[in-house]
Amino acid sequence: MTHRNIVILTGAGISAESGVPTFRASDGLWMGHRIEDVATPEAFHRDPATVHEFYNARRRQLTEVQPNAAHRALAELAARWPGALTLVTQNVDDLHARAHAEVEPASGFRLIPMHGELLKAACTRTGRISDCPGDLTVDSASPHHPEGRLRPHIVWFGEIPLEMEVIHDALQACDLFVAIGTSGAVYPAAGFVEIARHAGARTVELNLEPSLISDLFDETHFGPATRVVPEFVRSLSG
Ligand code: BV8
């Protein structure tokens, strides 16, 4: 079957081999924190300094990690894919962006960081976004409003993910949906495969092990992303 319009959804598993920790480590903690203590608006209201420090540590870690063969395989696909290729990532690291910066994407390519980006900040009064290469503190003043402060440009639990309409339209129009390195634990991303199925797309899961939603896919290929993603990309060109 030849494909035309592809939607790819990535999760923490695609960055794992770059050294970026996934969310669901065995101890249930995320870098020593409970998710509800660092990734909700309530947590930020209750203890902004702790939330800032949690994201400052993850932002600093970006300087120590590199895109891996899976990120680069998707960048090579994006450079030559003739149809629409929408890469929706749940990750807030910049590894996809860096991989695609190395290889000019074709005109049909879009990268959508649906849960925000570590290297951006949002004004607490206007919501406007600015680059954020360094640490944030409770005193970080917003460039967009005299009384505004800066918060991480991250979609926390209970907040609405970004570009949902664009994502929904791409899912309705796709004939191939590929989920890579995601546990299927978080909605609405975990529900994307069903939208694609209803639109008639072939659905493929690439993961190290079965996820919570593996049964919803037409096919699943198990293995580390740095092996199974380049293999799958090659199968597309075949
Ligand atoms: C929303 C940014 C409404 C943060 C993230 C009660 C109250 C409020 C909301 C809810 C509620 N109950 C349920 C909800 C909905 C909630 C939700 O789903 N909760 C879950 C816990 C039940 N969702 C939300 O709140 C979302 N918003 O619902 O708004 C709405 C929605 C639509 C329209 C209108 C209104 C917002 C969710 C976003 C939260 N923010 N990230 C930050 O990063 O700091 S979520 C975070 O966890 C990630 O971004 C990711 O999305 C998610 C899941 O993580 P994964 O990426 O899947 O990673 P995980 O560790 O889980 O799994 C790793 C996978 O990789 C595994 O499968 C593993 O096998 C695999 N792997 C590991 N190594 C490798 C590998 N694969 C290949 N190779 C390897 N080497």
Side-chain angles (χ1 to χ4, degrees):
M1 175 184 179
T2 55
H3 299 295
R4 184 77 194 146
N5 300 325
I6 306 178
V7 174
I8 297 174
L9 172 68
T10 62
I14 199 169
S15 295
E17 291 163 88
S18 294
V20 180
T22 63
F23 290 82
R24 279 149 193 87
S26 53
D27 60 5
L29 290 180
W30 183 17
M31 294 171 74
H33 294 276
R34 293 183 320 143
I35 281 182
E36 54 271 28
D37 291 341
V38 288
T40 65
E42 295 76 15
F44 186 63
H45 180 72
R46 185 173 61 240
D47 184 358
T50 295
V51 174
H52 276 313
E53 194 35 50
F54 175 65
Y55 287 97
N56 290 343
R58 291 172 64 195
R59 196 176 298 109
R60 283 186 225 116
Q61 194 210 26
L62 291 183
T63 58
E64 299 154 19
V65 297
Q66 298 295 330
N68 62 48
H71 297 104
R72 287 197 298 274
L74 296 185
E76 282 143 30
L77 178 66
R80 57 179 168 76
W81 191 254
L85 174 55
T86 304
L87 173 51
V88 182
T89 187
Q90 301 174 85
N91 302 337
V92 294
D93 62 51
D94 64 336
L95 295 178
H96 281 304
R98 280 156 59 184
H100 291 276
E102 291 166 12
V103 186
E104 182 66 29
S107 60
F109 176 70
R110 278 177 302 193
L111 172 60
I112 301 178
M114 67 178 287
H115 289 160
E117 299 172 70
L118 276 172
L119 294 176
K120 294 211 172 108
C123 172
T124 54
R125 296 296 291 268
T126 65
R128 289 178 63 187
I129 308 300
S130 40
D131 289 338
C132 177
D135 286 0
L136 290 178
T137 72
V138 293
D139 299 318
S140 297
S142 164
H144 304 298
H145 190 285
E147 285 139 43
R149 288 288 180 272
L150 289 178
R151 59 162 275 184
H153 176 48
I154 298 289
V155 177
W156 285 324
F157 287 94
E159 295 184 323
I160 298 175
L162 308 171
E163 307 257 21
M164 285 301 293
E165 282 188 33
V166 172
I167 295 170
H168 198 270
D169 290 349
L171 289 167
Q172 295 285 11
C174 78
D175 48 44
L176 175 61
F177 176 77
V178 188
I180 303 173
T182 182
S183 62
V186 173
Y187 288 83
F192 289 172
V193 58
E194 302 221 70
I195 299 171
R197 272 158 55 106
H198 291 146
R202 172 188 166 208
T203 55
V204 179
E205 180 184 50
L206 309 180
N207 202 309
L208 192 60
E209 58 194 14
S211 73
L212 294 167
I213 51 175
S214 291
D215 295 346
L216 299 176
F217 288 83
D218 297 321
E219 54 189 275
T220 294
H221 302 274
F222 293 130
T226 53
R227 175 169 62 75
V228 298
V229 176
E231 279 174 358
F232 184 75
V233 166
R234 277 194 295 276
S235 76
L236 284 181
S237 49

